[in-house]
Amino acid sequence: MNLNFASDNAGPVHPAIMQALADANAGGTMPYGNDDATAALRDRFRTLLAWPEAEIALVATGTAANAIALAALVKPYDAILCHQAAHIQDDEAGAPEFYTGGAKLVPVPGPHGRIDPDALRAACARIGTSVHAVQRGALSLTDVTEAGTLYTPDQLDALTAIARDYGMATHLDGARFANACAALDCTAADLARGFDVVSFGGTKNGCMGVEAIVLRDPAGHWDVQMRRKRAGHLWSKHRYLAAQMTAYLADDLWLDLGGRANAAAGRLAEGLARAGAEVVHPPQANMIFARLDPAAHDRAKAAGAAYYVMDDAPRPLCRLVCDWSKTDAEVDALLRALAG
Amino acid sequence: MNLNFASDNAGPVHPAIMQALADANAGGTMPYGNDDATAALRDRFRTLLAWPEAEIALVATGTAANAIALAALVKPYDAILCHQAAHIQDDEAGAPEFYTGGAKLVPVPGPHGRIDPDALRAACARIGTSVHAVQRGALSLTDVTEAGTLYTPDQLDALTAIARDYGMATHLDGARFANACAALDCTAADLARGFDVVSFGGTKNGCMGVEAIVLRDPAGHWDVQMRRKRAGHLWSKHRYLAAQMTAYLADDLWLDLGGRANAAAGRLAEGLARAGAEVVHPPQANMIFARLDPAAHDRAKAAGAAYYVMDDAPRPLCRLVCDWSKTDAEVDALLRALAG
Amino acid sequence: MNLNFASDNAGPVHPAIMQALADANAGGTMPYGNDDATAALRDRFRTLLAWPEAEIALVATGTAANAIALAALVKPYDAILCHQAAHIQDDEAGAPEFYTGGAKLVPVPGPHGRIDPDALRAACARIGTSVHAVQRGALSLTDVTEAGTLYTPDQLDALTAIARDYGMATHLDGARFANACAALDCTAADLARGFDVVSFGGTKNGCMGVEAIVLRDPAGHWDVQMRRKRAGHLWSKHRYLAAQMTAYLADDLWLDLGGRANAAAGRLAEGLARAGAEVVHPPQANMIFARLDPAAHDRAKAAGAAYYVMDDAPRPLCRLVCDWSKTDAEVDALLRALAG
Amino acid sequence: MNLNFASDNAGPVHPAIMQALADANAGGTMPYGNDDATAALRDRFRTLLAWPEAEIALVATGTAANAIALAALVKPYDAILCHQAAHIQDDEAGAPEFYTGGAKLVPVPGPHGRIDPDALRAACARIGTSVHAVQRGALSLTDVTEAGTLYTPDQLDALTAIARDYGMATHLDGARFANACAALDCTAADLARGFDVVSFGGTKNGCMGVEAIVLRDPAGHWDVQMRRKRAGHLWSKHRYLAAQMTAYLADDLWLDLGGRANAAAGRLAEGLARAGAEVVHPPQANMIFARLDPAAHDRAKAAGAAYYVMDDAPRPLCRLVCDWSKTDAEVDALLRALAG
């Protein structure tokens, strides 16, 4: 029984996507994305996000998608506002700083992984417009948040409106875009509606490695293409990126897989709550943050379970993630292991 | 009949490598390269290059491999010497400049894609050591060269010795490492022996997208890992990179595929020469540069052939590339199309 | 009566330094710092800081001094820890990020402009050593702090010891080095003793524009020289930088001027306290932060006084700075203007 | 007798400029260029260059002026075309690469320091528009050239027109703008007419250290200001930069000094020619490049003469530069020393 709840990345590639890779291998295609499949994908995203002029660029990792997107939005002397626990702030080893030429990430607080609107307004005001400090560049939001919680489309609107009031561009880190849409029961267009650029993730949700940078305004497309190439993220055998994303979007596979992951996590959260674990963030998508009884933790480890332990408190804070492949049986097995 | 001779990248992924990807999909593995397969790969490279302490980092593209390798070797105020037609100089959109923080590529001339030793010595001397100019950083050589020719190991030795005399580090762009070894009938260790870092290519020779940065001196490993992560080139599902490279190295598949590509190109070169085409660089590996009769060129295009045309001379200079999958029948079909 | 208390920069150049510039104009000197005066200055700093092998580099601005110093200490993927109100964090428009190639400034809290040791320890621990996050690079402290307070040498020792425990380099932003030494009644060597590199300021204390980057370990000297040149901060007519610094250090002029500025600020602080202003940071050097009665504030403005207003509270927070040239009469005139 | 002909930088500051510095010391002024003198300077440049909306930024060095100007004109993935011996290519240690975030300098050949128009056209065409290579960014010309020769305004027009045809911005490195205008007997507006941005030099021609970045289009002004600040080139005591430039422009002092330097160099060139030295570039401004008889060279050195020796040929190539202060007596003394 697979008890690996460490990451969305621990799961397998979905069979439909493996098949798409095999199919892409059959025919020759022009390299570097100059192919019909990539053009069709762009049209698919135009429909999906209701952005009639959208342009896209595919890359293999979420960090690349975020960093290239941000580099296209800000100047090297700009600030990028994000939640204090955002992936771009904590988990990308300075990729945004590298790609932007040294922009400054300004962390903004807020409970449960969500930026507090008042704190955002205060941060925008504080940045100001003096030549002595970094300028107002972009706001980057993450939905599903790093705390496993959600912003509703209305909550996103409230924050992106503040950014626009201060003349800033807006970016959505959608590494878990599918999980958010599935959990919110909203359309992709609703989730994206307040943003200039979206990082639309596939890797965490059944793909091998593919993310789409989606630009609402096509004016920035060439800049993004040049930055992707210059970073070594333009695949010569681009058809293998396009094939993944095409299969992922076909028949709403993305949404289906996101929903499956959320359902497994919901089952896990209920079980943990029943067992008396302290769930520290509202479990709204596919990640659970809970303080586990140390004895339960030891039993789970002994049974081969894997998940991240985020502090060394007596009741350690643990992150448990369900990817699309997690079965009820696996969730129940973990709960049994914890229960002893 | 597939008449696409545009690029090594136009070919399919070798079945053994597709199978390895499918196999990797079966089991869960820890993300980010912290797995046994990656450790085994490192050991394989230690043996292959006879570098007992070598460390490796896998990335998905050749541009990333080159740029990260060079960033680990030089300071932002250093010069990187390379052939005036090198891939890093002409075809990576400034990736080395981006990754190094602005190092200066200094092109060095030489016939048929090979740096002339005297020109290298002159360039090293000219760079000098004044605070007013960029400093002597690294020499980057490419074998197979961009002209489809070869450096022998002795020729490489002569150039890397000059670099060392001037205190510079050495890098081999081995995007076609396999083609070079196969054509030279030398060992991988012979090809690598003069270098500090090798970009060992897989993508152009039957992989989907994987290159190994191989460091002779393990002291630079952490720096390379940080630069890879920060550039978004550390795959979360790293097992799919490792699986490709493992299969590629198994049973000398790499060498076999390189040899196949070379053989097809040899057959093509002979046919072109018989037909009176002017072959402008000695055809030594899997790329042919020839001036074609315009009528022949038109016939080939009409038959669906694809290859790069590099100028607009009356007899245009054409680049024809054979990848590992090219068959005698395909080569002969192209020759027939050209012959009319 | 000059009622400009806006900045140390508002004051004039000290006559001895103007004279030194005039004297430097008399003779020809080799450009770019290859001169006897610069060599003598280096020896002067070796004695002053009791760093027997120190090397120096002169630049014209404090931001350049700090940014070049930090770039020489950290990798692009490193963290630089500093107080949350540090000049490098708030007032240099991202210069450290630019010069380092994108290092991340990590703000650390603490009352009255001083980093709290426990907060520093926590920040160091949190940065950790994972490949996914920026690494432990350097600690940068500022004395006099941006709040106008002081670290004693012992307090500096406590913080730099923590940095060393975590393998980090140490930098002192000494834009007001002279004010700190004068106020602490300590030697320059005492102030510098825990640091690898010091930015030794002159501009704020009677020079026209000169700062010294002083390196304890000469191994980094060439790197600093290259970074200075490449940033356009190597003066061709370097003798005019050297002349300023030489005059500034002669006969302890630096210390005398720092003491004068502190004394004026002390007189001002006492007067403000007597008048019932709320002084929000202990006034220890040449800067006073006080909440002024709005009527007093209006009167002062009407009288032509200049100082920074840092918020829009009913009783606004005001920063009043005394440079070396401030006289008792000027201080008293400001106090009278405020008193009405 | 001062026989230092090493550089324009070896000369003294002109007395009128020293006086302006002393005058600037008398009154307090707002820091950072927010002062009347800087506003007046901007208006002066608008008239001088006949650019009615021009904006300016002052810095202390020519390398800073060039690098900031170029960073405002190009993207990090652009090419900057310049003469193969340009200062930005050979003598700034990679400053343009640093400031632009890694743009690539593309050297273009041409005799006597001047770009050949056909070579420029070929270089522009070769750069092309593929995503795989750096893009067409800017053309940077230098007048007086690094070979001491001149472009006429018409010759500049021919080159800048080519740049515009290819969609590129244009930059004039005017480190010796005054010498060029004086020698060409043209207006400043004539020299600048084809350019988007001019680096207008003062340092080499009697100032202590000041250059103006002059932008034809005010839209780029804020970007330049941010880049200047972020590079540590915004002087807090900005009045000392403004005072220099104001005095330099007053009563056409700049033009007078440039003419003096040219006249001295003309006298020197005639003397050298009479003495049989091989003058290798047409001496048109204030720099002479000549191959000297080794015995003459030895005699001059023995007499204390200083100038750069640029190769180690039997008759070494020497660069002799006259600054504004060179007298006929000094020139004649050098000629006598060489004659023996």
Side-chain angles (χ1 to χ4, degrees):
Chain A
M1 189 72 75
N2 178 351
L3 294 184
N4 188 336
F5 289 75
S7 167
D8 327 56
N9 298 322
V13 176
H14 187 273
I17 288 164
M18 288 302 290
Q19 186 57 48
L21 287 170
D23 293 347
N25 206 33
T29 310
M30 287 308 286
Y32 300 115
N34 303 313
D35 54 61
D36 293 343
T38 302
L41 255 182
R42 185 202 54 189
D43 293 343
R44 180 78 181 89
F45 272 107
R46 288 179 173 184
T47 305
L48 192 67
L49 301 193
W51 289 357
E53 299 187 290
E55 292 287 351
I56 64 167
L58 301 182
V59 293
T61 74
T63 293
N66 287 339
I68 293 172
L70 291 168
L73 292 178
V74 304
K75 292 275 193 180
Y77 44 76
D78 277 346
I80 298 167
L81 282 74
C82 61
H83 191 271
Q84 60 190 10
H87 201 266
I88 59 171
Q89 164 74 353
D90 275 358
D91 297 303
E92 301 188 353
E97 288 89 342
F98 175 44
Y99 276 78
T100 59
K104 182 186 275 287
L105 271 65
V106 174
V108 184
H112 300 308
R114 299 187 202 97
I115 287 180
D116 176 73
D118 290 336
L120 177 60
R121 228 175 264 112
C124 291
R126 198 169 50 240
I127 288 173
T129 57
S130 146
V131 77
H132 301 293
V134 290
Q135 305 292 299
R136 294 165 183 150
L139 170 68
S140 180
L141 299 177
T142 310
D143 206 7
V144 180
T145 75
E146 294 300 314
T149 60
L150 293 165
Y151 291 107
T152 65
D154 287 351
Q155 288 172 320
L156 294 173
D157 286 350
L159 294 169
T160 55
I162 295 169
R164 267 190 302 279
D165 282 352
Y166 283 96
M168 294 193 296
T170 51
H171 166 251
L172 175 64
D173 178 353
R176 294 184 181 92
F177 193 103
N179 302 284
C181 270
L184 291 162
D185 197 20
C186 72
T187 65
D190 282 339
L191 204 66
R193 69 188 178 210
F195 294 94
D196 296 314
V197 182
V198 168
S199 300
F200 183 93
T203 311
K204 288 184 188 297
N205 193 33
C207 295
M208 183 177 287
V210 68
E211 314 275 313
I213 304 164
V214 193
L215 305 164
R216 180 196 290 265
D217 180 347
H221 190 215
W222 183 250
D223 185 65
V224 162
Q225 285 192 74
M226 286 304 304
R227 291 183 189 275
R228 176 179 61 166
K229 165 69 195 185
R230 172 176 170 78
H233 280 291
L234 173 57
W235 273 37
S236 57
K237 298 184 173 179
H238 186 272
R239 60 192 178 277
Y240 300 104
L241 293 180
Q244 291 180 68
M245 187 54 82
T246 301
Y248 182 61
L249 295 185
D251 301 322
D252 284 343
L253 178 62
W254 64 284
L255 202 53
D256 176 45
L257 298 184
R260 289 198 224 174
N262 293 347
R267 186 182 186 93
L268 178 56
E270 284 173 25
L272 289 170
R274 271 197 312 270
E278 177 196 355
V279 177
V280 301
H281 299 304
Q284 300 183 324
N286 70 322
M287 293 193 288
I288 317 294
F289 293 80
R291 295 203 170 277
L292 297 183
D293 181 84
H297 175 57
D298 290 346
R299 283 191 298 268
K301 290 288 163 193
Y307 45 80
Y308 281 107
V309 180
M310 307 186 76
D311 64 16
D312 53 3
R315 290 169 59 86
L317 178 59
C318 300
R319 190 190 76 160
L320 302 109
V321 186
C322 294
D323 74 279
W324 68 274
S325 74
K326 280 283 166 286
T327 62
D328 286 358
E330 289 167 346
V331 168
D332 294 346
L334 175 63
L335 289 168
R336 277 196 306 275
L338 288 163
Chain B
M1 189 72 75
N2 178 350
L3 295 185
N4 189 336
F5 290 77
S7 168
D8 328 55
N9 298 322
V13 175
H14 188 271
I17 289 164
M18 287 303 290
Q19 187 57 48
L21 288 170
D23 293 348
N25 206 34
T29 312
M30 287 308 286
Y32 300 113
N34 302 314
D35 54 59
D36 293 344
T38 302
L41 255 182
R42 185 200 55 190
D43 294 343
R44 180 77 182 87
F45 272 106
R46 289 180 173 183
T47 306
L48 192 67
L49 301 192
W51 289 357
E53 299 187 291
E55 291 288 350
I56 64 167
L58 300 182
V59 292
T61 73
T63 293
N66 287 338
I68 294 171
L70 290 169
L73 292 178
V74 305
K75 292 275 193 181
Y77 44 76
D78 277 346
I80 297 168
L81 282 75
C82 61
H83 190 270
Q84 60 190 8
H87 201 266
I88 59 171
Q89 163 75 352
D90 276 358
D91 298 303
E92 300 187 354
E97 288 89 343
F98 175 45
Y99 276 79
T100 58
K104 184 187 275 288
L105 271 65
V106 175
V108 185
H112 300 308
R114 298 186 202 98
I115 286 180
D116 176 74
D118 289 337
L120 177 60
R121 229 174 263 113
C124 292
R126 198 169 48 240
I127 289 173
T129 57
S130 146
V131 77
H132 301 291
V134 290
Q135 305 292 299
R136 293 166 183 149
L139 171 67
S140 178
L141 300 176
T142 311
D143 207 5
V144 180
T145 75
E146 294 301 312
T149 60
L150 293 165
Y151 291 107
T152 64
D154 287 351
Q155 288 171 320
L156 294 173
D157 287 351
L159 294 169
T160 54
I162 294 169
R164 267 190 302 280
D165 282 352
Y166 282 96
M168 294 193 296
T170 52
H171 166 250
L172 176 63
D173 177 353
R176 296 185 179 91
F177 193 103
N179 302 284
C181 271
L184 290 162
D185 198 20
C186 72
T187 65
D190 281 339
L191 205 65
R193 71 189 178 208
F195 294 93
D196 296 314
V197 182
V198 167
S199 301
F200 183 94
T203 311
K204 288 183 189 295
N205 194 35
C207 294
M208 181 176 288
V210 67
E211 314 274 315
I213 304 164
V214 193
L215 305 164
R216 180 196 291 266
D217 180 348
H221 190 215
W222 184 249
D223 184 65
V224 162
Q225 284 193 77
M226 286 304 304
R227 291 182 188 274
R228 177 178 60 163
K229 166 68 196 184
R230 172 176 170 77
H233 281 291
L234 174 58
W235 275 36
S236 56
K237 298 185 172 177
H238 187 273
R239 58 190 179 278
Y240 300 105
L241 293 180
Q244 291 181 66
M245 188 55 83
T246 302
Y248 182 61
L249 294 185
D251 302 323
D252 285 343
L253 178 62
W254 64 284
L255 202 52
D256 176 44
L257 298 183
R260 288 199 225 173
N262 293 347
R267 185 181 185 92
L268 178 57
E270 283 173 25
L272 289 170
R274 270 198 311 272
E278 179 196 351
V279 178
V280 301
H281 299 305
Q284 299 183 325
N286 70 321
M287 292 193 289
I288 316 293
F289 292 81
R291 296 203 169 276
L292 297 183
D293 181 83
H297 175 57
D298 290 346
R299 281 190 299 268
K301 289 289 165 191
Y307 46 81
Y308 280 107
V309 179
M310 307 186 74
D311 64 18
D312 53 4
R315 291 169 59 87
L317 178 60
C318 301
R319 190 190 78 161
L320 302 109
V321 185
C322 295
D323 74 277
W324 69 272
S325 74
K326 280 283 166 284
T327 62
D328 287 359
E330 289 167 346
V331 168
D332 294 347
L334 175 63
L335 288 169
R336 277 197 307 275
L338 287 164
Chain C
M1 189 74 75
N2 179 351
L3 295 184
N4 190 335
F5 290 76
S7 167
D8 328 55
N9 297 321
V13 176
H14 188 272
I17 289 164
M18 286 303 290
Q19 186 58 47
L21 288 170
D23 293 347
N25 206 33
T29 312
M30 286 308 286
Y32 300 114
N34 302 314
D35 54 61
D36 292 344
T38 303
L41 256 183
R42 185 200 55 190
D43 293 343
R44 180 77 182 86
F45 272 106
R46 289 180 173 182
T47 305
L48 191 67
L49 301 193
W51 288 357
E53 297 188 291
E55 292 287 351
I56 65 167
L58 301 183
V59 291
T61 74
T63 293
N66 286 339
I68 293 172
L70 291 168
L73 291 178
V74 305
K75 291 274 193 182
Y77 43 77
D78 277 346
I80 297 167
L81 283 74
C82 60
H83 191 270
Q84 59 190 10
H87 201 266
I88 60 171
Q89 164 74 354
D90 276 357
D91 297 303
E92 299 188 353
E97 289 89 341
F98 175 44
Y99 276 79
T100 58
K104 184 187 275 288
L105 270 64
V106 174
V108 184
H112 299 310
R114 299 187 201 95
I115 287 180
D116 176 74
D118 289 337
L120 177 60
R121 229 175 261 111
C124 292
R126 199 170 50 240
I127 288 173
T129 57
S130 147
V131 77
H132 300 292
V134 290
Q135 306 293 298
R136 294 166 184 148
L139 171 66
S140 179
L141 299 177
T142 310
D143 207 7
V144 180
T145 75
E146 294 299 313
T149 60
L150 292 165
Y151 291 108
T152 65
D154 286 352
Q155 288 172 319
L156 294 173
D157 286 350
L159 294 169
T160 54
I162 294 169
R164 268 189 303 279
D165 281 352
Y166 282 97
M168 293 193 295
T170 51
H171 166 250
L172 175 63
D173 178 353
R176 296 184 179 91
F177 194 102
N179 302 285
C181 271
L184 290 161
D185 197 19
C186 72
T187 65
D190 281 338
L191 203 66
R193 70 189 179 209
F195 294 93
D196 296 315
V197 182
V198 168
S199 300
F200 183 94
T203 311
K204 287 183 190 295
N205 195 34
C207 295
M208 182 178 289
V210 68
E211 313 274 315
I213 304 164
V214 193
L215 305 163
R216 179 195 291 265
D217 181 347
H221 190 216
W222 184 248
D223 185 65
V224 162
Q225 284 193 76
M226 286 305 303
R227 291 182 188 275
R228 177 178 61 165
K229 165 69 195 184
R230 172 178 169 76
H233 281 292
L234 174 57
W235 274 36
S236 56
K237 299 184 172 179
H238 187 272
R239 59 191 178 277
Y240 300 104
L241 293 179
Q244 290 181 68
M245 188 55 83
T246 301
Y248 183 61
L249 295 184
D251 301 322
D252 284 342
L253 177 62
W254 63 283
L255 202 53
D256 176 45
L257 298 183
R260 289 198 224 173
N262 294 347
R267 184 180 186 92
L268 177 57
E270 283 173 25
L272 289 169
R274 270 197 312 269
E278 177 196 353
V279 177
V280 302
H281 300 303
Q284 300 183 324
N286 69 320
M287 292 192 288
I288 316 294
F289 293 80
R291 295 203 171 277
L292 298 183
D293 181 84
H297 174 56
D298 291 345
R299 281 191 299 267
K301 289 290 167 192
Y307 44 81
Y308 280 106
V309 179
M310 307 186 75
D311 63 16
D312 53 3
R315 289 168 59 87
L317 178 59
C318 300
R319 189 190 77 161
L320 302 109
V321 185
C322 294
D323 74 278
W324 68 273
S325 73
K326 281 282 165 286
T327 62
D328 286 359
E330 289 166 344
V331 168
D332 294 347
L334 175 64
L335 289 168
R336 276 195 308 274
L338 288 163
Chain D
M1 189 72 75
N2 177 350
L3 295 185
N4 189 335
F5 290 76
S7 167
D8 327 57
N9 298 322
V13 176
H14 186 272
I17 290 165
M18 287 303 290
Q19 186 59 47
L21 288 169
D23 293 348
N25 206 34
T29 311
M30 287 307 287
Y32 300 115
N34 302 314
D35 54 62
D36 293 343
T38 302
L41 254 183
R42 185 201 53 189
D43 294 342
R44 180 77 181 90
F45 272 108
R46 288 179 174 185
T47 305
L48 191 67
L49 301 193
W51 288 359
E53 299 188 290
E55 292 286 352
I56 64 166
L58 301 183
V59 292
T61 74
T63 293
N66 287 339
I68 293 172
L70 291 169
L73 292 178
V74 305
K75 292 275 193 182
Y77 43 76
D78 278 345
I80 297 167
L81 283 74
C82 61
H83 191 271
Q84 59 190 9
H87 201 266
I88 60 172
Q89 164 75 353
D90 276 356
D91 297 303
E92 300 188 354
E97 289 89 342
F98 175 44
Y99 276 78
T100 59
K104 183 187 275 289
L105 270 65
V106 174
V108 185
H112 299 310
R114 299 187 202 97
I115 286 181
D116 176 74
D118 290 337
L120 177 60
R121 230 175 261 113
C124 292
R126 198 169 48 239
I127 288 173
T129 57
S130 146
V131 77
H132 301 293
V134 289
Q135 306 291 299
R136 293 166 184 148
L139 170 67
S140 179
L141 300 177
T142 310
D143 206 8
V144 181
T145 75
E146 294 300 314
T149 59
L150 293 164
Y151 291 107
T152 65
D154 286 351
Q155 287 172 323
L156 294 173
D157 285 350
L159 294 169
T160 55
I162 294 170
R164 269 190 302 280
D165 282 351
Y166 282 95
M168 295 193 295
T170 51
H171 166 251
L172 175 64
D173 177 352
R176 295 185 180 91
F177 194 102
N179 302 284
C181 270
L184 290 162
D185 197 19
C186 72
T187 66
D190 281 339
L191 204 67
R193 71 188 179 209
F195 294 94
D196 296 316
V197 182
V198 167
S199 300
F200 183 94
T203 312
K204 287 184 189 297
N205 194 34
C207 294
M208 183 179 286
V210 68
E211 315 274 314
I213 304 166
V214 193
L215 304 164
R216 179 196 293 266
D217 181 348
H221 190 214
W222 184 250
D223 184 66
V224 162
Q225 285 192 74
M226 287 303 305
R227 291 183 189 274
R228 177 179 59 165
K229 166 68 196 185
R230 174 177 169 78
H233 281 291
L234 174 57
W235 273 37
S236 56
K237 298 185 173 178
H238 186 272
R239 59 190 179 277
Y240 300 104
L241 293 179
Q244 290 182 66
M245 188 56 82
T246 301
Y248 183 59
L249 294 185
D251 301 322
D252 284 342
L253 178 63
W254 64 284
L255 201 54
D256 176 44
L257 298 183
R260 288 198 224 174
N262 294 347
R267 185 181 185 93
L268 178 57
E270 282 173 28
L272 289 170
R274 269 197 313 271
E278 177 195 354
V279 178
V280 301
H281 299 305
Q284 300 183 324
N286 69 321
M287 293 193 288
I288 317 292
F289 292 80
R291 295 204 170 277
L292 297 183
D293 181 84
H297 176 56
D298 290 346
R299 282 190 299 267
K301 289 288 165 195
Y307 46 80
Y308 280 107
V309 180
M310 308 186 74
D311 64 16
D312 54 3
R315 288 167 62 85
L317 178 60
C318 301
R319 190 189 77 161
L320 302 110
V321 185
C322 294
D323 74 278
W324 68 274
S325 74
K326 280 281 165 289
T327 61
D328 287 357
E330 289 167 346
V331 168
D332 294 345
L334 175 63
L335 288 169
R336 276 196 307 274
L338 288 163

